[in-house]
Amino acid sequence: MIDVPDSLPARMYLLAYDLRKQKMTKGGAELGYVLRAAALTELYLDGRLGEERRKPVPGTPGDDPYGVLAQISASRPRSWQHWVRKDGRALVQTVRDELVRGGWIKVSTRRVLGLFPRRRVTVKDPRVVKELWGGASSALRGRPVAHVNSYDAAAVALAAAGELKSVLPGADRRRHKRRIEELSARSGPAADAVRKAIRQRAAAG
């Protein structure tokens, strides 16, 4: 079995990588939404984050690797969407740097037209992405939802909500709509907040 990163945000970053095209399928704000939702979901699944009146609230004290729980604790109650949208680009950079330090990816920078820096991400071992994709795929098609690994269930929920075509092409999202809804219900409210945030962004753009 291939080792994969422990954190859900790191796993979602790698799942956003298209092995065939050798590039990220999502970037900027939308990838930030997915990674923020992954951080929220990780806290929610571990009980470090709860929910009251459809808003996230601190739960059992514990690790807060991305500082999300500290932000929520220091704020008045706000919606899941607010926390999905907040500081997304910063989390993309944090997770990317974490994956570089861990030896999972390498990042090179070149300048377009000699002016604009563009980062190119390369996954060092494609088997890691395939392992993560296999977990998500089996969650989508395999055993009863109650028996699916919680991170694999969350990966499907977040990939569907974030429209990660590298994991779930549109046809698969439509074909497995009921199963995705069941996996999303198991994973907590953050996935639905991603879906709404992306739709709002598209409507505004």
Side-chain angles (χ1 to χ4, degrees):
M1 188 170 173
I2 305 296
D3 282 341
V4 298
D6 291 331
S7 90
L8 190 54
R11 294 182 183 201
M12 295 312 300
Y13 186 100
L14 292 173
L15 281 169
Y17 188 83
D18 188 318
L19 287 175
R20 191 167 51 83
K21 297 179 180 178
Q22 296 192 355
K23 67 177 186 178
M24 300 296 290
T25 57
K26 287 278 183 189
E30 291 190 357
L31 180 58
Y33 295 164
V34 172
L35 299 191
R36 286 284 298 192
L40 289 162
T41 298
E42 184 172 286
L43 295 169
Y44 183 84
L45 290 173
D46 287 349
R48 286 170 282 169
L49 201 61
E51 184 183 39
E52 288 180 10
R53 297 180 182 178
R54 299 193 176 184
K55 294 179 175 67
V57 294
T60 306
D63 291 342
D64 182 21
Y66 299 105
V68 176
L69 193 52
Q71 288 181 329
I72 293 171
S73 299
S75 169
R76 65 177 173 83
R78 292 179 180 271
S79 69
W80 289 94
Q81 267 180 267
H82 171 84
W83 295 114
V84 161
R85 287 195 296 257
K86 184 173 176 60
D87 298 337
R89 289 178 188 272
L91 187 56
V92 171
Q93 184 172 331
T94 298
V95 173
R96 184 174 61 230
D97 292 347
E98 176 188 311
L99 288 168
V100 169
R101 286 195 305 274
W104 303 100
I105 64 173
K106 63 179 180 180
V107 179
S108 55
T109 304
R110 63 184 180 87
R111 293 196 173 272
V112 179
L113 303 176
L115 295 172
F116 309 106
R118 176 171 292 177
R119 290 185 182 86
R120 178 179 177 80
V121 175
T122 306
V123 169
K124 288 192 173 182
D125 186 349
R127 293 177 301 171
V128 175
V129 176
K130 289 177 182 175
E131 181 77 15
L132 291 169
W133 187 88
S137 181
S138 67
L140 193 64
R141 299 173 174 84
R143 62 184 70 180
V145 167
H147 299 152
V148 172
N149 174 279
S150 59
Y151 275 20
D152 289 338
V156 171
L158 293 166
E163 299 177 7
L164 294 186
K165 294 177 182 176
S166 49
V167 184
L168 280 170
D172 279 358
R173 288 202 304 275
R174 291 187 293 274
R175 185 180 305 119
H176 300 289
K177 186 171 184 285
R178 177 73 182 274
R179 177 80 170 185
I180 290 168
E181 287 172 354
E182 293 172 350
L183 294 168
S184 298
R186 248 199 75 184
S187 304
D192 190 49
V194 172
R195 186 178 294 107
K196 289 175 181 174
I198 287 177
R199 285 177 182 168
Q200 286 178 0
R201 188 169 189 269

